[in-house]
Amino acid sequence: MSRKPVPAQSGDRSRVEVTFDKPQLLPRLFGEFDSNILALEERLGVYIHARGQRVQIEGSAESVAHAREVLQELHSRVIRGEDIDTGLIDAVIAMSSEPTFSGIIRADNGNAPPPIMIRTRKKTIVPRSVAQTQYMRALVSNDMIFALGPAGTGKTYLAVAQAVAQLITGSVQRLILSRPAVEAGEKLGFLPGDMKDKVDPYLRPLYDALNDCLPAEQVERRIASGEIEIAPIAFMRGRTLADAFVILDEAQNTTPMQMKMFLTRFGQNSRMVICGDANQSDLPGGPKASGLNDAVEKLEGIEGIAISRFTSADVVRHPIVGRIVEAYEGSDA
């Protein structure tokens, strides 16, 4: 890999050289046509030159130190079998600026796996932001978790992954996924089919997350056997959900009475995760009428209940999604 070098060192300019083992993995680290290296150069304002197992980084002292840390973290992730893409690069850059990055995300004992991860049948999931790290810790240490924040921050996806992991290991006997089927400009009655056909489009994101964690045939078999249940929140009334991992998605579209009904379904040996964006309610009264806001206000601080909050900085989709969220939040403010 060879590109035009930056000017010779002057002022606070610095140059470091990093040597990587396992040279067979370096093509995955560098990316096709060195796309990952180019992304690092663009984002961190450095010049990176690789020859064999040695990588030379040039730039300001601060940028070079940052780039070295990020490059080493990406290399350790390649060793663990992760695929490097621009989304992961952006996430690692963001996390490397946080004081909790070292020792939480990056293992301190060589190339050992990070302490926070979720293993499912199809993939191993690791956090891509500091907020995700804290959320994943909450998912294994609290009975009830409220996950608040904009779309694309991984609230529901990580909850489904954790639920699948616990179902696989036998920690819970059932996985129950629910959403309120609130009309957001569309009328349910005009959709074709029976009630299941009408509400299934509203539950599609939950199916997508499941299929990303389990083979499709296992998802179908477990749904048929009742191990996995996907249903609107109205179907929860009158039940006690024991030995189950229960997830309520789009919780901002519940009324306070619906939320109270849902939360009091909690049974023995269960875990409940409530996900939503408090600023995006489709209810006629808007966010003020949301059962999610009401519940968080009443329950925050109660033992056994965790509140995980995400912002636009935690969006792990395309970077433009985070900028869109910021623009709308600024407009609303």
Side-chain angles (χ1 to χ4, degrees), residues 1-3 30 34 37 41 47-51 55:
M1 163 170 107
S2 180
R3 290 185 298 281
F30 297 158
D34 299 328
I37 296 299
E41 289 183 325
Y47 168 74
I48 301 174
H49 175 74
R51 176 170 293 176
V55 174

Side-chain angles (χ1 to χ4, degrees), residues 306-317:
I307 312 291
S308 293
R309 290 183 168 89
F310 297 84
T311 69
S312 57
D314 300 306
V315 172
V316 293
R317 294 178 182 170

Side-chain angles (χ1 to χ4, degrees), residues 188-202:
L188 278 171
F190 289 98
L191 293 173
D194 57 18
M195 179 55 70
K196 181 180 183 302
D197 295 327
K198 291 177 187 292
V199 300
D200 263 2
Y202 290 81

Side-chain angles (χ1 to χ4, degrees), residues 76-293:
S76 69
R77 289 177 178 246
V78 169
I79 292 174
R80 295 197 295 266
E82 295 182 46
D83 293 324
I84 307 301
D85 56 26
T86 53
L88 180 59
I89 290 171
D90 289 333
V92 170
I93 289 173
M95 287 189 290
S96 66
S97 301
E98 298 287 342
T100 53
F101 178 72
S102 180
I104 289 184
I105 308 299
R106 185 182 61 227
D108 290 329
N109 51 346
N111 296 324
I116 299 295
M117 62 170 57
I118 300 173
R119 294 187 185 278
T120 68
R121 286 280 190 261
K122 294 180 72 173
K123 59 173 60 178
T124 296
I125 299 161
V126 295
R128 289 197 168 194
S129 73
V130 172
Q132 282 194 358
T133 302
Q134 296 165 346
Y135 179 44
M136 289 170 71
R137 287 194 184 279
L139 287 172
V140 299
S141 58
N142 293 273
D143 296 325
M144 184 176 292
I145 304 99
F146 286 85
L148 314 175
T153 50
K155 305 182 302 295
T156 303
Y157 184 86
L158 291 176
V160 171
Q162 180 65 25
V164 167
Q166 291 197 216
L167 185 65
I168 291 171
T169 60
S171 300
V172 296
Q173 302 304 311
R174 293 183 295 163
L175 197 171
I176 300 173
L177 308 173
S178 184
R179 287 182 75 169
V182 173
E183 297 171 345
E186 310 89 357
K187 296 298 183 181
L188 278 171
F190 289 98
L191 293 173
D194 57 18
M195 179 55 70
K196 181 180 183 302
D197 295 327
K198 291 177 187 292
V199 300
D200 263 2
Y202 290 81
L203 304 174
R204 177 49 53 187
L206 299 175
Y207 286 104
D208 291 342
L210 274 176
N211 285 315
D212 214 28
C213 297
L214 282 172
E217 63 274 10
Q218 284 198 31
V219 173
E220 294 175 6
R221 175 164 52 81
R222 291 176 186 266
I223 289 176
S225 69
E227 285 183 89
I228 297 177
E229 178 183 350
I230 306 177
I233 190 172
F235 288 27
M236 300 296 111
R237 191 173 299 278
R239 303 174 61 184
T240 299
L241 307 176
D243 297 307
F245 198 115
V246 188
I247 300 172
L248 175 62
D249 192 27
E250 298 292 334
Q252 73 274 7
N253 288 330
T254 61
T255 65
M257 289 306 296
Q258 283 178 318
M259 179 63 76
K260 179 182 177 183
M261 177 275 293
F262 183 82
L263 296 179
T264 53
R265 301 307 94 199
F266 194 84
Q268 294 292 328
N269 190 36
S270 289
R271 182 155 293 156
M272 187 174 280
V273 184
I274 300 94
C275 305
D277 182 353
N279 298 319
Q280 297 294 324
S281 177
D282 294 316
L283 295 170
K288 292 182 179 179
S290 171
L292 177 61
N293 294 338

